[in-house]
PDB file of all heavy atoms in Angstrom:
ATOM      1  N   ALA A   1       3.421  11.659 -84.920  1.00 98.00           N
ATOM      2  CA  ALA A   1       3.890  11.220 -86.232  1.00 98.00           C
ATOM      3  C   ALA A   1       3.287  12.082 -87.338  1.00 98.00           C
ATOM      4  O   ALA A   1       2.097  12.399 -87.314  1.00 98.00           O
ATOM      5  CB  ALA A   1       3.522   9.759 -86.470  1.00 98.00           C
ATOM      6  N   VAL A   2       4.126  12.464 -88.300  1.00 98.00           N
ATOM      7  CA  VAL A   2       3.685  13.159 -89.502  1.00 98.00           C
ATOM      8  C   VAL A   2       4.132  12.293 -90.676  1.00 98.00           C
ATOM      9  O   VAL A   2       5.321  12.030 -90.848  1.00 98.00           O
ATOM     10  CB  VAL A   2       4.280  14.580 -89.602  1.00 98.00           C
ATOM     11  CG1 VAL A   2       3.822  15.249 -90.883  1.00 98.00           C
ATOM     12  CG2 VAL A   2       3.892  15.411 -88.383  1.00 98.00           C
ATOM     13  N   HIS A   3       3.146  11.836 -91.462  1.00 98.00           N
ATOM     14  CA  HIS A   3       3.407  10.883 -92.543  1.00 98.00           C
ATOM     15  C   HIS A   3       3.698  11.594 -93.862  1.00 98.00           C
ATOM     16  O   HIS A   3       2.973  12.501 -94.248  1.00 98.00           O
ATOM     17  CB  HIS A   3       2.188   9.968 -92.721  1.00 98.00           C
ATOM     18  CG  HIS A   3       1.905   9.121 -91.520  1.00 98.00           C
ATOM     19  ND1 HIS A   3       1.907   7.760 -91.571  1.00 98.00           N
ATOM     20  CD2 HIS A   3       1.622   9.440 -90.233  1.00 98.00           C
ATOM     21  CE1 HIS A   3       1.639   7.260 -90.377  1.00 98.00           C
ATOM     22  NE2 HIS A   3       1.452   8.280 -89.544  1.00 98.00           N
ATOM     23  N   PHE A   4       4.749  11.157 -94.514  1.00 98.00           N
ATOM     24  CA  PHE A   4       5.114  11.629 -95.853  1.00 98.00           C
ATOM     25  C   PHE A   4       5.236  10.406 -96.757  1.00 98.00           C
ATOM     26  O   PHE A   4       6.273  10.147 -97.369  1.00 98.00           O
ATOM     27  CB  PHE A   4       6.431  12.411 -95.806  1.00 98.00           C
ATOM     28  CG  PHE A   4       6.358  13.655 -94.965  1.00 98.00           C
ATOM     29  CD1 PHE A   4       6.787  13.646 -93.646  1.00 98.00           C
ATOM     30  CD2 PHE A   4       5.825  14.827 -95.481  1.00 98.00           C
ATOM     31  CE1 PHE A   4       6.714  14.781 -92.856  1.00 98.00           C
ATOM     32  CE2 PHE A   4       5.745  15.977 -94.697  1.00 98.00           C
ATOM     33  CZ  PHE A   4       6.191  15.952 -93.384  1.00 98.00           C
ATOM     34  N   LEU A   5       4.156   9.624 -96.836  1.00 96.00           N
ATOM     35  CA  LEU A   5       4.192   8.345 -97.537  1.00 96.00           C
ATOM     36  C   LEU A   5       4.093   8.493 -99.050  1.00 96.00           C
ATOM     37  O   LEU A   5       4.427   7.559 -99.782  1.00 96.00           O
ATOM     38  CB  LEU A   5       3.077   7.433 -97.007  1.00 96.00           C
ATOM     39  CG  LEU A   5       3.146   7.164 -95.500  1.00 96.00           C
ATOM     40  CD1 LEU A   5       1.965   6.316 -95.055  1.00 96.00           C
ATOM     41  CD2 LEU A   5       4.468   6.499 -95.136  1.00 96.00           C
ATOM     42  N   GLU A   6       3.652   9.646 -99.524  1.00 95.00           N
ATOM     43  CA  GLU A   6       3.535   9.872-100.971  1.00 95.00           C
ATOM     44  C   GLU A   6       4.756  10.581-101.541  1.00 95.00           C
ATOM     45  O   GLU A   6       4.806  10.875-102.732  1.00 95.00           O
ATOM     46  CB  GLU A   6       2.263  10.668-101.277  1.00 95.00           C
ATOM     47  CG  GLU A   6       0.980  10.000-100.807  1.00 95.00           C
ATOM     48  CD  GLU A   6       0.772   8.620-101.404  1.00 95.00           C
ATOM     49  OE1 GLU A   6       1.083   8.419-102.596  1.00 95.00           O
ATOM     50  OE2 GLU A   6       0.314   7.723-100.666  1.00 95.00           O
ATOM     51  N   ALA A   7       5.745  10.865-100.718  1.00 95.00           N
ATOM     52  CA  ALA A   7       6.965  11.546-101.178  1.00 95.00           C
ATOM     53  C   ALA A   7       7.796  10.599-102.046  1.00 95.00           C
ATOM     54  O   ALA A   7       7.584   9.389-102.049  1.00 95.00           O
ATOM     55  CB  ALA A   7       7.791  11.993 -99.973  1.00 95.00           C
ATOM     56  N   ASN A   8       8.739  11.161-102.791  1.00 95.00           N
ATOM     57  CA  ASN A   8       9.635  10.332-103.612  1.00 95.00           C
ATOM     58  C   ASN A   8      10.376   9.314-102.758  1.00 95.00           C
ATOM     59  O   ASN A   8      10.669   8.208-103.219  1.00 95.00           O
ATOM     60  CB  ASN A   8      10.636  11.205-104.367  1.00 95.00           C
ATOM     61  CG  ASN A   8      10.005  11.965-105.502  1.00 95.00           C
ATOM     62  OD1 ASN A   8       8.953  11.588-106.007  1.00 95.00           O
ATOM     63  ND2 ASN A   8      10.632  13.053-105.905  1.00 95.00           N
ATOM     64  N   GLU A   9      10.718   9.698-101.548  1.00 94.00           N
ATOM     65  CA  GLU A   9      11.340   8.792-100.579  1.00 94.00           C
ATOM     66  C   GLU A   9      10.408   8.725 -99.373  1.00 94.00           C
ATOM     67  O   GLU A   9      10.519   9.524 -98.440  1.00 94.00           O
ATOM     68  CB  GLU A   9      12.726   9.295-100.178  1.00 94.00           C
ATOM     69  CG  GLU A   9      13.695   9.338-101.345  1.00 94.00           C
ATOM     70  CD  GLU A   9      15.065   9.886-100.966  1.00 94.00           C
ATOM     71  OE1 GLU A   9      15.279  10.259 -99.787  1.00 94.00           O
ATOM     72  OE2 GLU A   9      15.914   9.937-101.862  1.00 94.00           O
ATOM     73  N   PRO A  10       9.445   7.791 -99.380  1.00 96.00           N
ATOM     74  CA  PRO A  10       8.451   7.732 -98.315  1.00 96.00           C
ATOM     75  C   PRO A  10       9.104   7.627 -96.941  1.00 96.00           C
ATOM     76  O   PRO A  10      10.067   6.878 -96.745  1.00 96.00           O
ATOM     77  CB  PRO A  10       7.661   6.453 -98.632  1.00 96.00           C
ATOM     78  CG  PRO A  10       7.895   6.213-100.087  1.00 96.00           C
ATOM     79  CD  PRO A  10       9.274   6.716-100.364  1.00 96.00           C
ATOM     80  N   HIS A  11       8.560   8.406 -95.996  1.00 98.00           N
ATOM     81  CA  HIS A  11       9.096   8.402 -94.644  1.00 98.00           C
ATOM     82  C   HIS A  11       8.052   8.963 -93.682  1.00 98.00           C
ATOM     83  O   HIS A  11       7.030   9.499 -94.109  1.00 98.00           O
ATOM     84  CB  HIS A  11      10.389   9.221 -94.559  1.00 98.00           C
ATOM     85  CG  HIS A  11      10.215  10.668 -94.879  1.00 98.00           C
ATOM     86  ND1 HIS A  11      10.018  11.143 -96.162  1.00 98.00           N
ATOM     87  CD2 HIS A  11      10.198  11.755 -94.072  1.00 98.00           C
ATOM     88  CE1 HIS A  11       9.902  12.459 -96.133  1.00 98.00           C
ATOM     89  NE2 HIS A  11       9.998  12.862 -94.871  1.00 98.00           N
ATOM     90  N   ILE A  12       8.316   8.774 -92.402  1.00 98.00           N
ATOM     91  CA  ILE A  12       7.480   9.342 -91.344  1.00 98.00           C
ATOM     92  C   ILE A  12       8.404  10.095 -90.393  1.00 98.00           C
ATOM     93  O   ILE A  12       9.443   9.566 -89.987  1.00 98.00           O
ATOM     94  CB  ILE A  12       6.703   8.254 -90.582  1.00 98.00           C
ATOM     95  CG1 ILE A  12       5.728   7.539 -91.523  1.00 98.00           C
ATOM     96  CG2 ILE A  12       5.958   8.860 -89.381  1.00 98.00           C
ATOM     97  CD1 ILE A  12       4.991   6.364 -90.890  1.00 98.00           C
ATOM     98  N   CYS A  13       8.022  11.312 -90.047  1.00 97.00           N
ATOM     99  CA  CYS A  13       8.771  12.094 -89.065  1.00 97.00           C
ATOM    100  C   CYS A  13       8.055  11.980 -87.721  1.00 97.00           C
ATOM    101  O   CYS A  13       6.831  12.107 -87.649  1.00 97.00           O
ATOM    102  CB  CYS A  13       8.849  13.561 -89.479  1.00 97.00           C
ATOM    103  SG  CYS A  13       9.849  13.817 -90.954  1.00 97.00           S
ATOM    104  N   LEU A  14       8.829  11.714 -86.695  1.00 97.00           N
ATOM    105  CA  LEU A  14       8.315  11.610 -85.330  1.00 97.00           C
ATOM    106  C   LEU A  14       8.838  12.791 -84.527  1.00 97.00           C
ATOM    107  O   LEU A  14      10.039  13.068 -84.558  1.00 97.00           O
ATOM    108  CB  LEU A  14       8.782  10.303 -84.684  1.00 97.00           C
ATOM    109  CG  LEU A  14       8.393   9.026 -85.417  1.00 97.00           C
ATOM    110  CD1 LEU A  14       9.147   7.844 -84.841  1.00 97.00           C
ATOM    111  CD2 LEU A  14       6.895   8.805 -85.324  1.00 97.00           C
ATOM    112  N   TYR A  15       7.940  13.471 -83.810  1.00 96.00           N
ATOM    113  CA  TYR A  15       8.318  14.659 -83.060  1.00 96.00           C
ATOM    114  C   TYR A  15       7.913  14.528 -81.596  1.00 96.00           C
ATOM    115  O   TYR A  15       6.807  14.069 -81.292  1.00 96.00           O
ATOM    116  CB  TYR A  15       7.630  15.905 -83.624  1.00 96.00           C
ATOM    117  CG  TYR A  15       7.958  16.186 -85.056  1.00 96.00           C
ATOM    118  CD1 TYR A  15       7.091  15.815 -86.075  1.00 96.00           C
ATOM    119  CD2 TYR A  15       9.151  16.815 -85.401  1.00 96.00           C
ATOM    120  CE1 TYR A  15       7.400  16.072 -87.406  1.00 96.00           C
ATOM    121  CE2 TYR A  15       9.461  17.082 -86.722  1.00 96.00           C
ATOM    122  CZ  TYR A  15       8.584  16.703 -87.723  1.00 96.00           C
ATOM    123  OH  TYR A  15       8.890  16.958 -89.037  1.00 96.00           O
ATOM    124  N   ARG A  16       8.815  14.927 -80.732  1.00 94.00           N
ATOM    125  CA  ARG A  16       8.510  15.077 -79.307  1.00 94.00           C
ATOM    126  C   ARG A  16       9.490  16.102 -78.752  1.00 94.00           C
ATOM    127  O   ARG A  16      10.704  15.936 -78.877  1.00 94.00           O
ATOM    128  CB  ARG A  16       8.656  13.760 -78.559  1.00 94.00           C
ATOM    129  CG  ARG A  16       8.394  13.950 -77.082  1.00 94.00           C
ATOM    130  CD  ARG A  16       8.411  12.693 -76.309  1.00 94.00           C
ATOM    131  NE  ARG A  16       8.409  13.051 -74.891  1.00 94.00           N
ATOM    132  CZ  ARG A  16       8.153  12.218 -73.931  1.00 94.00           C
ATOM    133  NH1 ARG A  16       7.872  10.969 -74.202  1.00 94.00           N
ATOM    134  NH2 ARG A  16       8.182  12.623 -72.693  1.00 94.00           N
ATOM    135  N   ASP A  17       8.950  17.136 -78.122  1.00 91.00           N
ATOM    136  CA  ASP A  17       9.770  18.217 -77.586  1.00 91.00           C
ATOM    137  C   ASP A  17      10.661  18.750 -78.715  1.00 91.00           C
ATOM    138  O   ASP A  17      10.146  19.146 -79.742  1.00 91.00           O
ATOM    139  CB  ASP A  17      10.563  17.758 -76.360  1.00 91.00           C
ATOM    140  CG  ASP A  17       9.670  17.191 -75.249  1.00 91.00           C
ATOM    141  OD1 ASP A  17       8.558  17.728 -75.081  1.00 91.00           O
ATOM    142  OD2 ASP A  17      10.060  16.219 -74.596  1.00 91.00           O
ATOM    143  N   THR A  18      11.964  18.746 -78.560  1.00 89.00           N
ATOM    144  CA  THR A  18      12.862  19.241 -79.612  1.00 89.00           C
ATOM    145  C   THR A  18      13.552  18.089 -80.353  1.00 89.00           C
ATOM    146  O   THR A  18      14.552  18.291 -81.023  1.00 89.00           O
ATOM    147  CB  THR A  18      13.937  20.175 -79.029  1.00 89.00           C
ATOM    148  OG1 THR A  18      14.701  19.454 -78.064  1.00 89.00           O
ATOM    149  CG2 THR A  18      13.308  21.403 -78.383  1.00 89.00           C
ATOM    150  N   THR A  19      12.989  16.889 -80.237  1.00 91.00           N
ATOM    151  CA  THR A  19      13.575  15.706 -80.864  1.00 91.00           C
ATOM    152  C   THR A  19      12.779  15.325 -82.104  1.00 91.00           C
ATOM    153  O   THR A  19      11.553  15.354 -82.093  1.00 91.00           O
ATOM    154  CB  THR A  19      13.583  14.529 -79.863  1.00 91.00           C
ATOM    155  OG1 THR A  19      14.388  14.893 -78.754  1.00 91.00           O
ATOM    156  CG2 THR A  19      14.113  13.261 -80.487  1.00 91.00           C
ATOM    157  N   GLU A  20      13.483  14.974 -83.169  1.00 94.00           N
ATOM    158  CA  GLU A  20      12.862  14.461 -84.388  1.00 94.00           C
ATOM    159  C   GLU A  20      13.556  13.165 -84.773  1.00 94.00           C
ATOM    160  O   GLU A  20      14.782  13.074 -84.759  1.00 94.00           O
ATOM    161  CB  GLU A  20      12.973  15.461 -85.531  1.00 94.00           C
ATOM    162  CG  GLU A  20      12.360  14.944 -86.823  1.00 94.00           C
ATOM    163  CD  GLU A  20      12.449  15.932 -87.983  1.00 94.00           C
ATOM    164  OE1 GLU A  20      12.963  17.054 -87.785  1.00 94.00           O
ATOM    165  OE2 GLU A  20      12.020  15.573 -89.085  1.00 94.00           O
ATOM    166  N   ILE A  21      12.751  12.174 -85.108  1.00 95.00           N
ATOM    167  CA  ILE A  21      13.244  10.900 -85.633  1.00 95.00           C
ATOM    168  C   ILE A  21      12.603  10.712 -86.996  1.00 95.00           C
ATOM    169  O   ILE A  21      11.413  10.974 -87.165  1.00 95.00           O
ATOM    170  CB  ILE A  21      12.858   9.724 -84.721  1.00 95.00           C
ATOM    171  CG1 ILE A  21      13.467   9.893 -83.338  1.00 95.00           C
ATOM    172  CG2 ILE A  21      13.270   8.393 -85.347  1.00 95.00           C
ATOM    173  CD1 ILE A  21      12.942   8.913 -82.317  1.00 95.00           C
ATOM    174  N   ILE A  22      13.370  10.263 -87.957  1.00 97.00           N
ATOM    175  CA  ILE A  22      12.855  10.018 -89.296  1.00 97.00           C
ATOM    176  C   ILE A  22      12.876   8.507 -89.531  1.00 97.00           C
ATOM    177  O   ILE A  22      13.925   7.873 -89.407  1.00 97.00           O
ATOM    178  CB  ILE A  22      13.694  10.747 -90.355  1.00 97.00           C
ATOM    179  CG1 ILE A  22      13.683  12.251 -90.075  1.00 97.00           C
ATOM    180  CG2 ILE A  22      13.162  10.450 -91.763  1.00 97.00           C
ATOM    181  CD1 ILE A  22      14.713  13.038 -90.854  1.00 97.00           C
ATOM    182  N   LEU A  23      11.710   7.950 -89.841  1.00 97.00           N
ATOM    183  CA  LEU A  23      11.607   6.527 -90.157  1.00 97.00           C
ATOM    184  C   LEU A  23      11.599   6.353 -91.670  1.00 97.00           C
ATOM    185  O   LEU A  23      10.831   7.026 -92.365  1.00 97.00           O
ATOM    186  CB  LEU A  23      10.316   5.936 -89.582  1.00 97.00           C
ATOM    187  CG  LEU A  23      10.129   6.028 -88.073  1.00 97.00           C
ATOM    188  CD1 LEU A  23       8.751   5.480 -87.687  1.00 97.00           C
ATOM    189  CD2 LEU A  23      11.231   5.271 -87.351  1.00 97.00           C
ATOM    190  N   THR A  24      12.441   5.474 -92.169  1.00 97.00           N
ATOM    191  CA  THR A  24      12.477   5.158 -93.595  1.00 97.00           C
ATOM    192  C   THR A  24      12.222   3.671 -93.781  1.00 97.00           C
ATOM    193  O   THR A  24      12.479   2.863 -92.883  1.00 97.00           O
ATOM    194  CB  THR A  24      13.836   5.521 -94.225  1.00 97.00           C
ATOM    195  OG1 THR A  24      14.866   4.771 -93.578  1.00 97.00           O
ATOM    196  CG2 THR A  24      14.122   7.005 -94.098  1.00 97.00           C
ATOM    197  N   ARG A  25      11.758   3.303 -94.944  1.00 96.00           N
ATOM    198  CA  ARG A  25      11.472   1.898 -95.249  1.00 96.00           C
ATOM    199  C   ARG A  25      12.757   1.137 -95.561  1.00 96.00           C
ATOM    200  O   ARG A  25      13.675   1.663 -96.185  1.00 96.00           O
ATOM    201  CB  ARG A  25      10.539   1.803 -96.447  1.00 96.00           C
ATOM    202  CG  ARG A  25       9.169   2.356 -96.166  1.00 96.00           C
ATOM    203  CD  ARG A  25       8.292   2.222 -97.379  1.00 96.00           C
ATOM    204  NE  ARG A  25       6.943   2.661 -97.066  1.00 96.00           N
ATOM    205  CZ  ARG A  25       6.062   3.037 -97.966  1.00 96.00           C
ATOM    206  NH1 ARG A  25       6.399   3.042 -99.243  1.00 96.00           N
ATOM    207  NH2 ARG A  25       4.860   3.406 -97.597  1.00 96.00           N
ATOM    208  N   THR A  26      12.785  -0.125 -95.151  1.00 94.00           N
ATOM    209  CA  THR A  26      13.950  -0.974 -95.431  1.00 94.00           C
ATOM    210  C   THR A  26      13.845  -1.660 -96.791  1.00 94.00           C
ATOM    211  O   THR A  26      14.808  -2.283 -97.227  1.00 94.00           O
ATOM    212  CB  THR A  26      14.089  -2.078 -94.370  1.00 94.00           C
ATOM    213  OG1 THR A  26      12.930  -2.912 -94.418  1.00 94.00           O
ATOM    214  CG2 THR A  26      14.296  -1.506 -92.992  1.00 94.00           C
ATOM    215  N   ASN A  27      12.689  -1.579 -97.423  1.00 89.00           N
ATOM    216  CA  ASN A  27      12.463  -2.270 -98.696  1.00 89.00           C
ATOM    217  C   ASN A  27      12.779  -3.757 -98.604  1.00 89.00           C
ATOM    218  O   ASN A  27      13.366  -4.344 -99.504  1.00 89.00           O
ATOM    219  CB  ASN A  27      13.252  -1.617 -99.834  1.00 89.00           C
ATOM    220  CG  ASN A  27      12.790  -0.205-100.094  1.00 89.00           C
ATOM    221  OD1 ASN A  27      11.617   0.111 -99.966  1.00 89.00           O
ATOM    222  ND2 ASN A  27      13.713   0.674-100.441  1.00 89.00           N
ATOM    223  N   GLY A  28      12.394  -4.360 -97.477  1.00 89.00           N
ATOM    224  CA  GLY A  28      12.553  -5.793 -97.295  1.00 89.00           C
ATOM    225  C   GLY A  28      13.902  -6.236 -96.768  1.00 89.00           C
ATOM    226  O   GLY A  28      14.096  -7.408 -96.481  1.00 89.00           O
TER     227      GLY A  28
END
């Protein structure tokens, strides 16, 4: 996991091999 929590649109990027998943907040 690489955290980008201070970005304008906070998110976390998940990496494994050549796959990337981006997690975004649901804001409730």
Side-chain angles (χ1 to χ4, degrees):
V2 179
H3 297 240
F4 297 96
L5 302 177
E6 301 302 321
N8 287 338
E9 297 178 359
H11 63 286
I12 297 175
C13 292
L14 302 168
Y15 300 99
R16 178 175 169 166
D17 304 324
T18 60
T19 298
E20 179 180 358
I21 299 170
I22 301 167
L23 301 176
T24 61
R25 294 181 176 159
T26 62
N27 296 325

